[in-house]
Amino acid sequence: MIHYLIVILEHNAVPFCSYETIPAEANALIPLETLQEAVTHAIRNRMSMSFLYGRTPLPETYHDLIESVEHVKIMPPEMATCSEEAVPVIDACSHGSMVLPGASRTRNVILRIGSGSIDLLGQLAGTLRGRFRRLNIILVDTGNLTAPLFERYEKQLHIVREYLEEEYLGGSMPEVSVITDRPFLVNMNNCNAGIEHLTCAPDGKLYVCPAFYYHRPETSLGTLDKLREYRHSNLLELSRAPICRNCDAYHCKRCIFLNGSLTLELNTPSSQQCVASHLEREVSRVFLENISDCLPECAKPAPIPALDYQDPLTLICDRSISEENRDRHFAALLSKPIEHLPASELLLQIYRSEPRLINKLKEFFRNHPAAEAEE
């Protein structure tokens, strides 16, 4: 079910995720007719929209169309200063000319950071304190990450964690995607490109996400009036990812484009994606332990168990461990978060994960032989 459309307003629009754009000399705006068609489609199908801006001033007719639908503006930081609702994209790779948003605890901010800027993460997060409600941290060149870089990334994440703990213990609760998301999730919350959202590009065509427009234009899904099904659409589903569907790094973006680029399989993440997500998960675990006492009892998430791996494939592929022992190992890890939960909280976690399970449990106990005997 497609819930929202991403619209690239010009070819040289700001990249907001891990992909890089391919600048064009003939940088054209999306045709007004295409924008009109996208907005009309979104309104008719009750979709929200995200608009990716470049640095080209838009004609008034474009502004009027954009304002006629529920939307989010994602902009270069110097343009986002005009509105607290706009989401600025800060690129740490160009830190020499970076523009930071003004102080606002209601703003969402995207921070893109690559391997060459990893050591700036803690410093940038400190500089941005008090300037956002939510900070989305995006690793942009995941394929280049190595063991030494992961060690530096983990160190920087702990610096950010310490900032966050000070904020939470002081009564403020800002969000930093790679640290605060995992504690409050009970199932996978991936990017879901091609499942929950599609991208409308300046060429008038639809794509799974902006990365496919820039790097795999041959995968176009057609146009809004002649939408073709993605021929690999069955591989976009979590159910077709046997490793991911049993993983509890729930915040992982599980980027379909990176999967295809680094492993040649849309439903199989690279080791770099898994390691990064599990490093973030571990920092989230420490964060939750340290701020647990300042959370009200009714809002405390289940504890996150410590893991003895960073890439689940290393355990799955370990021939020295029998299949039975592997299953027992993972079952023990998955059960740890619920060991100390009261029954009411356990039922609430089950309901959040899959509401229909409660009805199935009721039906099971209603028809159980023991229940009939008691009657």
XYZ file of all heavy atoms in Angstrom, residues 211-308:
779
model
N 17.231 7.046 -5.482
C 18.494 6.424 -5.883
C 18.358 5.691 -7.215
O 19.279 5.692 -8.041
C 18.968 5.450 -4.801
N 17.207 5.071 -7.445
C 16.997 4.344 -8.700
C 16.897 5.319 -9.871
O 17.339 5.012 -10.981
C 15.737 3.478 -8.604
C 15.919 2.242 -7.771
C 15.837 2.309 -6.387
C 16.170 1.014 -8.369
C 16.003 1.177 -5.613
C 16.340 -0.125 -7.605
C 16.263 -0.049 -6.226
N 16.329 6.496 -9.658
C 16.251 7.503 -10.725
C 17.648 7.943 -11.158
O 17.938 8.036 -12.352
C 15.443 8.700 -10.242
C 15.631 9.945 -11.079
C 15.226 9.994 -12.410
C 16.235 11.084 -10.533
C 15.401 11.140 -13.183
C 16.413 12.236 -11.290
C 16.004 12.256 -12.617
O 16.193 13.384 -13.380
N 18.521 8.194 -10.188
C 19.855 8.699 -10.512
C 20.800 7.606 -11.023
O 21.672 7.893 -11.842
C 20.468 9.378 -9.286
C 19.826 10.706 -8.963
C 18.953 10.831 -7.874
C 20.073 11.833 -9.735
C 18.356 12.043 -7.576
C 19.471 13.055 -9.446
C 18.614 13.152 -8.366
O 18.019 14.356 -8.088
N 20.661 6.400 -10.520
C 21.664 5.380 -10.805
C 21.143 4.185 -11.607
O 21.947 3.440 -12.162
C 22.288 4.880 -9.494
C 22.994 5.955 -8.733
N 24.284 6.334 -9.022
C 22.580 6.754 -7.709
C 24.649 7.321 -8.197
N 23.628 7.590 -7.394
N 19.836 3.982 -11.651
C 19.283 2.873 -12.439
C 18.017 3.334 -13.153
O 16.916 2.825 -12.891
C 18.964 1.676 -11.541
C 20.194 1.047 -10.899
C 19.809 -0.188 -10.128
N 20.844 -0.550 -9.178
C 20.650 -1.370 -8.149
N 19.468 -1.896 -7.934
N 21.648 -1.662 -7.322
N 18.133 4.318 -14.045
C 16.944 4.857 -14.708
C 16.188 3.813 -15.524
O 14.993 3.994 -15.793
C 17.506 5.966 -15.606
C 18.964 5.647 -15.761
C 19.373 4.979 -14.497
N 16.848 2.735 -15.890
C 16.176 1.695 -16.672
C 15.133 0.940 -15.859
O 14.320 0.178 -16.408
C 17.212 0.701 -17.231
C 17.855 -0.239 -16.233
C 18.987 0.395 -15.413
O 19.260 1.598 -15.622
O 19.593 -0.302 -14.582
N 15.116 1.151 -14.519
C 14.144 0.458 -13.667
C 12.871 1.270 -13.464
O 12.094 0.982 -12.557
C 14.756 0.154 -12.280
O 15.087 1.403 -11.631
C 16.009 -0.688 -12.410
N 12.650 2.257 -14.306
C 11.445 3.091 -14.192
C 10.181 2.226 -14.132
O 10.076 1.186 -14.796
C 11.364 4.039 -15.392
O 10.051 4.528 -15.548
N 9.211 2.688 -13.336
C 7.936 1.986 -13.197
C 6.864 2.579 -14.096
O 5.676 2.329 -13.907
C 7.470 2.034 -11.733
C 8.453 1.511 -10.694
C 7.895 1.665 -9.295
C 8.793 0.058 -10.967
N 7.271 3.386 -15.057
C 6.299 4.033 -15.918
C 5.855 5.361 -15.349
O 6.572 5.995 -14.574
N 4.663 5.779 -15.691
C 4.128 7.057 -15.238
C 2.923 6.817 -14.336
O 2.445 5.676 -14.216
C 3.710 7.913 -16.442
O 2.749 7.188 -17.216
C 4.917 8.237 -17.316
N 2.428 7.882 -13.728
C 1.296 7.740 -12.810
C 0.065 7.166 -13.498
O -0.689 6.398 -12.898
C 0.957 9.095 -12.177
C 1.882 9.541 -11.037
C 1.671 11.011 -10.720
C 1.645 8.690 -9.795
N -0.155 7.523 -14.749
C -1.335 7.006 -15.455
C -1.083 5.645 -16.089
O -2.028 4.952 -16.494
C -1.812 8.006 -16.515
C -0.740 8.280 -17.564
O 0.446 8.067 -17.265
O -1.107 8.706 -18.678
N 0.195 5.243 -16.186
C 0.533 3.930 -16.739
C 1.592 3.279 -15.855
O 2.713 2.998 -16.271
C 1.048 4.065 -18.173
C 0.006 4.582 -19.153
C 0.574 4.685 -20.556
C -0.472 5.221 -21.537
N 0.098 5.353 -22.917
N 1.199 3.024 -14.603
C 2.128 2.482 -13.613
C 2.343 0.997 -13.857
O 1.398 0.217 -13.929
C 1.582 2.711 -12.200
C 2.414 2.183 -11.036
C 3.785 2.845 -11.008
C 1.685 2.409 -9.719
N 3.607 0.609 -13.995
C 3.956 -0.797 -14.143
C 4.406 -1.364 -12.809
O 5.000 -0.650 -11.994
C 5.109 -0.967 -15.150
C 4.785 -0.526 -16.554
C 5.850 -1.055 -17.509
N 7.186 -0.578 -17.161
C 7.736 0.532 -17.662
N 7.044 1.279 -18.500
N 8.951 0.899 -17.315
N 4.148 -2.628 -12.596
C 4.621 -3.271 -11.366
C 6.114 -3.536 -11.498
O 6.599 -3.960 -12.551
C 3.884 -4.583 -11.125
C 4.293 -5.246 -9.812
C 3.551 -6.538 -9.539
O 2.733 -6.935 -10.385
O 3.795 -7.151 -8.497
N 6.832 -3.270 -10.420
C 8.267 -3.559 -10.397
C 8.445 -5.064 -10.494
O 7.877 -5.821 -9.706
C 8.873 -3.006 -9.106
C 10.380 -3.089 -9.027
C 11.172 -2.737 -10.114
C 11.014 -3.514 -7.872
C 12.553 -2.801 -10.055
C 12.400 -3.572 -7.786
C 13.161 -3.215 -8.887
O 14.534 -3.279 -8.827
N 9.236 -5.517 -11.464
C 9.294 -6.956 -11.713
C 9.940 -7.739 -10.580
O 9.818 -8.958 -10.525
C 9.997 -7.243 -13.041
C 11.463 -6.898 -13.110
C 11.959 -6.992 -14.546
N 13.380 -6.705 -14.670
C 14.311 -7.649 -14.718
N 13.959 -8.926 -14.635
N 15.588 -7.329 -14.857
N 10.631 -7.031 -9.681
C 11.211 -7.708 -8.517
C 10.461 -7.319 -7.237
O 11.007 -7.421 -6.145
C 12.689 -7.333 -8.363
C 13.528 -7.693 -9.546
N 13.658 -8.981 -9.996
C 14.282 -6.931 -10.378
C 14.455 -9.017 -11.050
N 14.846 -7.786 -11.309
N 9.199 -6.888 -7.384
C 8.477 -6.335 -6.233
C 8.326 -7.345 -5.101
O 8.292 -6.970 -3.928
C 7.090 -5.840 -6.668
O 6.343 -6.901 -7.233
N 8.245 -8.647 -5.440
C 8.102 -9.647 -4.373
C 9.327 -9.685 -3.463
O 9.236 -10.079 -2.302
C 7.859 -11.027 -4.977
C 8.995 -11.491 -5.872
O 9.592 -10.678 -6.583
N 9.312 -12.771 -5.853
N 10.487 -9.232 -3.981
C 11.709 -9.246 -3.174
C 11.818 -8.037 -2.257
O 12.736 -7.962 -1.444
C 12.934 -9.310 -4.089
C 13.053 -10.565 -4.964
C 14.298 -10.485 -5.840
C 13.095 -11.831 -4.105
N 10.899 -7.078 -2.388
C 10.928 -5.907 -1.518
C 10.313 -6.203 -0.156
O 10.561 -5.485 0.809
C 10.165 -4.738 -2.169
C 10.625 -4.299 -3.564
C 9.762 -3.134 -4.050
C 12.096 -3.900 -3.562
N 9.516 -7.241 -0.065
C 8.796 -7.560 1.155
C 9.726 -8.157 2.205
O 10.611 -8.958 1.883
C 7.668 -8.553 0.859
C 6.624 -8.062 -0.137
C 5.680 -7.057 0.472
O 5.682 -6.928 1.715
O 4.943 -6.405 -0.291
N 9.475 -7.794 3.459
C 10.271 -8.337 4.568
C 10.144 -9.851 4.646
O 11.098 -10.551 5.004
C 9.825 -7.695 5.884
C 10.577 -8.109 7.151
C 12.040 -7.699 7.058
C 9.928 -7.493 8.384
N 8.988 -10.375 4.290
C 8.765 -11.822 4.367
C 9.689 -12.599 3.440
O 9.922 -13.792 3.635
C 7.305 -12.146 4.027
O 7.003 -11.716 2.707
N 10.246 -11.928 2.417
C 11.150 -12.585 1.480
C 12.611 -12.380 1.868
O 13.505 -12.703 1.088
C 10.906 -12.057 0.059
C 9.511 -12.339 -0.486
C 9.221 -13.827 -0.576
N 10.125 -14.504 -1.497
C 9.904 -14.628 -2.804
N 8.796 -14.136 -3.331
N 10.766 -15.255 -3.566
N 12.847 -11.826 3.041
C 14.213 -11.610 3.535
C 14.425 -12.480 4.773
O 14.158 -12.047 5.902
C 14.430 -10.143 3.867
N 14.853 -13.718 4.611
C 14.897 -14.672 5.730
C 15.782 -14.249 6.891
O 15.519 -14.616 8.029
C 15.415 -15.966 5.076
C 16.058 -15.532 3.798
C 15.322 -14.319 3.357
N 16.843 -13.485 6.622
C 17.703 -13.034 7.719
C 17.060 -11.839 8.427
O 16.931 -11.814 9.653
C 19.106 -12.667 7.193
C 19.771 -13.894 6.568
C 19.980 -12.124 8.317
C 21.095 -13.601 5.888
N 16.628 -10.872 7.641
C 16.087 -9.631 8.212
C 14.812 -9.861 9.019
O 14.581 -9.212 10.035
C 15.815 -8.613 7.117
S 17.290 -8.077 6.227
N 13.967 -10.767 8.583
C 12.679 -10.925 9.254
C 12.830 -11.514 10.646
O 11.906 -11.460 11.460
C 11.741 -11.768 8.404
C 12.098 -13.237 8.303
C 11.197 -13.959 7.320
N 11.541 -15.366 7.230
C 11.360 -16.091 6.147
N 10.855 -15.535 5.052
N 11.670 -17.372 6.135
N 14.002 -12.115 10.934
C 14.250 -12.656 12.271
C 15.224 -11.804 13.074
O 15.667 -12.214 14.142
C 14.794 -14.080 12.155
C 13.769 -15.043 11.595
O 12.630 -15.059 12.060
N 14.141 -15.811 10.590
N 15.550 -10.620 12.554
C 16.506 -9.731 13.215
C 15.756 -8.736 14.093
O 14.606 -8.378 13.806
C 17.314 -8.997 12.135
S 18.504 -7.792 12.789
N 16.389 -8.285 15.169
C 15.716 -7.296 16.011
C 16.433 -5.950 16.014
O 16.243 -5.147 16.925
C 15.529 -7.819 17.442
C 16.804 -7.804 18.260
O 17.901 -7.832 17.656
O 16.720 -7.759 19.502
N 17.240 -5.681 14.979
C 17.734 -4.310 14.769
C 16.631 -3.585 14.011
O 16.743 -3.275 12.818
C 19.040 -4.321 13.989
N 15.527 -3.327 14.739
C 14.286 -2.888 14.111
C 14.403 -1.548 13.388
O 13.608 -1.230 12.514
C 13.174 -2.787 15.155
C 12.828 -4.085 15.838
C 12.563 -4.128 17.212
C 12.748 -5.276 15.120
C 12.231 -5.312 17.841
C 12.420 -6.469 15.750
C 12.159 -6.478 17.109
O 11.834 -7.653 17.744
N 15.371 -0.734 13.774
C 15.506 0.599 13.193
C 16.256 0.587 11.870
O 16.304 1.599 11.176
C 16.283 1.494 14.165
C 17.727 1.094 14.275
N 18.131 -0.085 14.860
C 18.861 1.688 13.826
C 19.442 -0.193 14.780
N 19.915 0.870 14.155
N 16.852 -0.553 11.492
C 17.686 -0.640 10.291
C 16.901 -0.197 9.059
O 15.752 -0.606 8.868
C 18.169 -2.078 10.117
S 19.091 -2.370 8.587
N 17.502 0.616 8.202
C 16.796 1.090 7.011
C 16.624 -0.026 5.979
O 15.754 0.024 5.132
C 17.537 2.269 6.375
C 17.575 3.505 7.268
C 18.134 4.701 6.548
C 17.131 5.306 5.580
N 15.969 5.905 6.265
N 17.474 -1.048 6.036
C 17.395 -2.174 5.093
C 17.219 -1.643 3.670
O 16.289 -1.994 2.952
C 16.240 -3.111 5.489
C 16.415 -4.537 4.969
C 15.390 -5.471 5.591
N 14.063 -5.188 5.111
C 13.532 -5.734 3.997
N 14.243 -6.577 3.283
N 12.315 -5.441 3.636
N 18.139 -0.779 3.290
C 18.041 -0.046 2.018
C 18.060 -0.994 0.825
O 19.051 -1.702 0.587
C 19.185 0.965 1.918
S 19.256 1.822 0.341
N 16.973 -0.988 0.057
C 16.844 -1.869 -1.105
C 17.904 -1.538 -2.155
O 18.497 -2.432 -2.773
C 15.437 -1.744 -1.711
C 14.373 -2.198 -0.710
C 15.327 -2.526 -3.006
C 14.467 -3.636 -0.310
N 18.159 -0.247 -2.355
C 19.143 0.147 -3.366
C 20.537 -0.336 -2.973
O 21.270 -0.883 -3.792
C 19.144 1.666 -3.541
C 20.168 2.148 -4.526
C 19.974 1.987 -5.884
C 21.351 2.742 -4.093
C 20.934 2.408 -6.807
C 22.310 3.164 -4.995
C 22.097 3.001 -6.362
N 20.922 -0.147 -1.701
C 22.235 -0.622 -1.248
C 22.322 -2.139 -1.302
O 23.371 -2.694 -1.646
C 22.507 -0.133 0.175
C 22.952 1.317 0.334
C 23.124 1.658 1.810
C 24.237 1.589 -0.432
N 21.213 -2.807 -0.968
C 21.213 -4.266 -1.062
C 21.606 -4.701 -2.471
O 22.501 -5.524 -2.664
C 19.831 -4.828 -0.732
C 19.447 -4.666 0.718
O 20.235 -4.200 1.535
N 18.221 -5.035 1.042
N 20.900 -4.152 -3.456
C 21.162 -4.530 -4.828
C 22.551 -4.144 -5.292
O 23.184 -4.870 -6.075
N 23.050 -2.999 -4.815
C 24.364 -2.515 -5.251
C 25.509 -3.312 -4.644
O 26.514 -3.581 -5.314
C 24.533 -1.034 -4.881
O 23.551 -0.242 -5.511
N 25.369 -3.699 -3.376
C 26.488 -4.310 -2.659
C 26.442 -5.830 -2.608
O 27.480 -6.471 -2.438
C 26.560 -3.746 -1.236
C 26.779 -2.231 -1.133
C 26.766 -1.791 0.324
C 28.088 -1.820 -1.803
N 25.239 -6.420 -2.706
C 25.139 -7.881 -2.637
C 24.511 -8.481 -3.890
O 24.473 -9.705 -4.022
C 24.303 -8.335 -1.426
O 22.924 -7.987 -1.654
C 24.780 -7.687 -0.143
N 23.988 -7.613 -4.771
C 23.283 -8.044 -5.992
C 21.978 -8.758 -5.677
O 21.379 -9.398 -6.549
C 24.175 -8.940 -6.867
C 25.529 -8.334 -7.277
C 26.283 -9.308 -8.183
C 25.343 -7.000 -7.971
N 21.511 -8.657 -4.419
C 20.237 -9.233 -4.007
C 19.428 -8.151 -3.293
O 19.888 -7.584 -2.306
C 20.450 -10.421 -3.055
C 21.119 -11.627 -3.681
C 20.184 -12.390 -4.616
O 18.964 -12.151 -4.561
O 20.687 -13.216 -5.391
N 18.223 -7.879 -3.798
C 17.424 -6.804 -3.215
C 17.044 -7.067 -1.762
O 16.862 -6.132 -0.989
C 16.140 -6.597 -4.037
C 16.315 -6.015 -5.445
C 14.971 -5.965 -6.154
C 16.930 -4.625 -5.384
N 16.898 -8.328 -1.390
C 16.427 -8.633 -0.032
C 17.546 -9.089 0.899
O 17.278 -9.603 1.978
C 15.320 -9.696 -0.076
C 15.798 -10.998 -0.697
O 16.945 -11.113 -1.110
N 14.908 -11.982 -0.772
N 18.803 -8.903 0.483
C 19.937 -9.301 1.331
C 20.853 -8.108 1.586
O 21.531 -7.643 0.670
C 20.753 -10.426 0.665
O 19.893 -11.527 0.367
C 21.873 -10.886 1.583
N 20.878 -7.585 2.807
C 21.764 -6.452 3.119
C 23.234 -6.871 3.084
O 23.568 -8.031 3.304
C 21.349 -6.038 4.528
C 20.042 -6.693 4.775
C 20.038 -7.935 3.955
N 24.079 -5.896 2.831
C 25.514 -6.137 2.902
C 25.948 -6.246 4.360
O 25.245 -5.813 5.272
C 26.271 -4.990 2.237
O 26.048 -3.790 2.963
N 27.121 -6.818 4.563
C 27.668 -6.907 5.918
C 27.803 -5.519 6.531
O 27.564 -5.324 7.729
C 29.028 -7.604 5.888
O 29.586 -7.666 7.180
N 28.164 -4.513 5.701
C 28.331 -3.152 6.221
C 27.027 -2.617 6.816
O 27.025 -1.987 7.871
C 28.824 -2.204 5.123
C 30.228 -2.503 4.625
C 30.215 -3.345 3.371
O 29.387 -4.228 3.204
N 31.141 -3.049 2.460
N 25.899 -2.879 6.128
C 24.610 -2.418 6.666
C 24.302 -3.110 7.985
O 23.830 -2.469 8.938
C 23.481 -2.699 5.665
C 23.343 -1.687 4.554
C 21.967 -1.747 3.917
O 21.028 -1.122 4.414
N 21.843 -2.473 2.826
N 24.541 -4.423 8.042
C 24.248 -5.169 9.269
C 25.113 -4.697 10.430
O 24.625 -4.480 11.546
C 24.462 -6.666 9.039
S 23.188 -7.436 8.027
N 26.407 -4.536 10.179
C 27.320 -4.128 11.253
C 26.956 -2.739 11.755
O 26.897 -2.492 12.974
C 28.785 -4.178 10.779
C 29.713 -3.561 11.822
C 29.209 -5.616 10.500
N 26.700 -1.804 10.848
C 26.324 -0.441 11.258
C 25.059 -0.469 12.109
O 24.984 0.176 13.164
C 26.122 0.444 10.025
N 24.055 -1.228 11.686
C 22.789 -1.292 12.429
C 22.974 -1.927 13.797
O 22.334 -1.513 14.779
C 21.742 -2.064 11.624
O 21.411 -1.380 10.441
N 23.840 -2.926 13.883
C 24.037 -3.574 15.181
C 24.914 -2.739 16.114
O 24.742 -2.805 17.341
C 24.613 -4.983 14.985
C 23.569 -5.984 14.596
N 23.097 -6.106 13.312
C 22.861 -6.877 15.339
C 22.162 -7.040 13.267
N 22.006 -7.525 14.493
N 25.824 -1.954 15.572
C 26.551 -1.000 16.417
C 25.576 0.013 17.001
O 25.637 0.353 18.191
C 27.631 -0.288 15.596
C 28.883 -1.081 15.229
C 29.811 -0.225 14.374
C 29.619 -1.555 16.477
N 24.687 0.527 16.155
C 23.676 1.488 16.616
C 22.760 0.842 17.649
O 22.382 1.477 18.649
C 22.867 1.985 15.408
C 23.693 2.806 14.429
C 23.120 2.850 13.026
O 22.049 2.240 12.786
O 23.743 3.484 12.150
N 22.398 -0.425 17.405
C 21.540 -1.145 18.343
C 22.206 -1.259 19.715
O 21.549 -1.107 20.751
C 21.259 -2.537 17.773
C 20.384 -3.432 18.647
C 20.446 -4.861 18.126
N 19.645 -5.747 18.938
C 20.023 -6.247 20.103
N 21.211 -5.907 20.607
N 19.229 -7.060 20.780
N 23.501 -1.533 19.738
C 24.212 -1.667 21.011
C 24.273 -0.330 21.750
O 24.085 -0.278 22.972
C 25.620 -2.214 20.763
C 26.529 -2.242 21.984
C 26.000 -3.094 23.124
O 25.088 -3.930 22.902
O 26.504 -2.914 24.259
N 24.524 0.753 21.022
C 24.534 2.074 21.653
C 23.133 2.402 22.172
O 22.974 2.969 23.257
C 25.029 3.145 20.660
C 24.938 4.540 21.281
C 26.474 2.852 20.248
N 22.096 2.011 21.427
C 20.713 2.207 21.881
C 20.437 1.425 23.159
O 19.725 1.895 24.052
C 19.733 1.754 20.790
O 19.856 2.515 19.625
N 21.004 0.221 23.246
C 20.818 -0.608 24.444
C 21.391 0.084 25.675
O 20.742 0.167 26.726
C 21.487 -1.970 24.234
C 21.270 -2.962 25.375
C 22.097 -4.227 25.183
N 23.524 -3.959 25.354
C 24.118 -3.874 26.545
N 23.411 -4.021 27.657
N 25.411 -3.644 26.624
N 22.609 0.615 25.546
C 23.239 1.328 26.659
C 22.444 2.586 26.999
O 22.207 2.890 28.177
C 24.699 1.692 26.300
C 25.353 2.517 27.409
C 25.517 0.430 26.030
N 22.019 3.304 25.972
C 21.215 4.518 26.171
C 19.951 4.204 26.966
O 19.619 4.898 27.942
C 20.858 5.117 24.814
C 19.803 6.183 24.846
C 20.080 7.442 25.340
C 18.510 5.915 24.384
C 19.109 8.431 25.377
C 17.536 6.888 24.420
C 17.825 8.152 24.913
N 19.236 3.156 26.579
C 17.988 2.804 27.265
C 18.242 2.434 28.715
O 17.482 2.835 29.607
C 17.307 1.656 26.527
C 15.985 1.168 27.119
C 14.970 2.303 27.197
C 15.422 0.010 26.303
N 19.302 1.692 28.978
C 19.632 1.340 30.366
C 19.886 2.585 31.206
O 19.452 2.672 32.358
C 20.864 0.440 30.397
C 20.605 -0.998 29.993
C 21.841 -1.875 30.172
O 22.916 -1.314 30.521
O 21.734 -3.103 29.987
N 20.571 3.566 30.633
C 20.970 4.741 31.393
C 19.846 5.734 31.624
O 19.910 6.529 32.565
C 22.142 5.443 30.694
C 23.420 4.627 30.743
O 23.522 3.661 31.503
N 24.399 4.985 29.926
N 18.828 5.742 30.738
C 17.743 6.729 30.914
C 16.453 6.073 31.415
O 15.443 6.741 31.604
C 17.456 7.508 29.614
C 17.062 6.571 28.458
C 18.669 8.337 29.210
C 15.610 6.573 28.121
N 16.502 4.768 31.667
C 15.292 4.035 32.039
C 14.611 4.622 33.275
O 13.380 4.707 33.345
C 15.616 2.565 32.262
O 14.459 1.831 32.563
N 15.407 5.053 34.250
C 14.828 5.549 35.507
C 14.064 6.858 35.340
O 13.233 7.198 36.186
C 15.933 5.735 36.556
C 16.474 4.408 37.057
O 15.795 3.385 36.860
O 17.582 4.396 37.622
N 14.345 7.602 34.272
C 13.645 8.876 34.095
C 12.387 8.731 33.242
O 11.697 9.719 32.980
C 14.572 9.935 33.493
S 14.890 9.753 31.724
N 12.074 7.502 32.811
C 10.861 7.262 32.023
C 9.737 6.795 32.942
O 9.969 6.020 33.874
C 11.116 6.192 30.954
C 12.153 6.521 29.873
C 12.358 5.301 28.975
C 11.718 7.714 29.049
N 8.506 7.247 32.708
C 7.382 6.748 33.513
C 7.195 5.259 33.297
O 7.480 4.734 32.209
C 6.184 7.548 32.971
C 6.610 8.054 31.632
C 8.084 8.231 31.701
N 6.723 4.560 34.324
C 6.589 3.107 34.251
C 5.749 2.674 33.060
O 6.050 1.692 32.393
C 5.962 2.571 35.541
C 6.904 2.553 36.735
C 8.092 1.623 36.523
O 7.899 0.567 35.893
O 9.196 1.955 36.979
N 4.691 3.429 32.763
C 3.790 3.041 31.679
C 4.420 3.213 30.300
O 3.898 2.713 29.302
C 2.496 3.852 31.759
S 2.738 5.635 31.588
N 5.557 3.941 30.226
C 6.187 4.208 28.933
C 7.530 3.523 28.770
O 8.215 3.745 27.782
C 6.358 5.719 28.747
N 7.905 2.689 29.733
C 9.218 2.045 29.648
C 9.197 0.936 28.601
O 8.381 0.013 28.666
C 9.621 1.467 31.008
C 10.161 2.494 31.971
C 10.713 1.842 33.216
C 11.273 2.902 34.168
N 11.815 2.306 35.392
N 10.109 1.000 27.628
C 10.180 -0.069 26.634
C 10.813 -1.320 27.240
O 11.437 -1.268 28.293
C 11.083 0.514 25.541
C 11.305 1.946 25.895
C 11.073 2.065 27.360
N 10.638 -2.432 26.556
C 11.315 -3.658 26.975
C 12.816 -3.472 26.835
O 13.280 -2.809 25.901
C 10.850 -4.826 26.115
N 13.610 -4.018 27.753
C 15.072 -3.900 27.623
C 15.558 -4.569 26.346
O 14.927 -5.494 25.832
C 15.594 -4.608 28.871
C 14.484 -5.495 29.315
C 13.215 -4.813 28.937
N 16.675 -4.089 25.835
C 17.277 -4.647 24.621
C 18.382 -5.603 25.056
O 19.287 -5.203 25.786
C 17.860 -3.531 23.741
C 16.766 -2.531 23.356
C 18.504 -4.120 22.490
C 17.289 -1.292 22.638
N 18.335 -6.861 24.630
C 19.372 -7.803 25.069
C 20.697 -7.528 24.396
O 20.756 -7.068 23.251
C 18.817 -9.163 24.641
C 17.958 -8.851 23.461
C 17.345 -7.501 23.740
N 21.788 -7.819 25.111
C 23.117 -7.726 24.505
C 23.294 -8.881 23.536
O 22.773 -9.977 23.756
C 24.184 -7.765 25.585
N 24.002 -8.633 22.446
C 24.255 -9.666 21.447
C 25.738 -10.027 21.426
O 26.584 -9.225 21.827
C 23.831 -9.180 20.054
C 22.346 -8.878 19.853
C 22.110 -8.411 18.419
C 21.479 -10.087 20.165
N 26.030 -11.217 20.918
C 27.424 -11.630 20.804
C 27.872 -11.644 19.348
O 28.779 -12.376 18.968
C 27.631 -13.000 21.452
C 26.678 -14.053 20.897
O 25.908 -13.735 19.956
O 26.697 -15.194 21.398
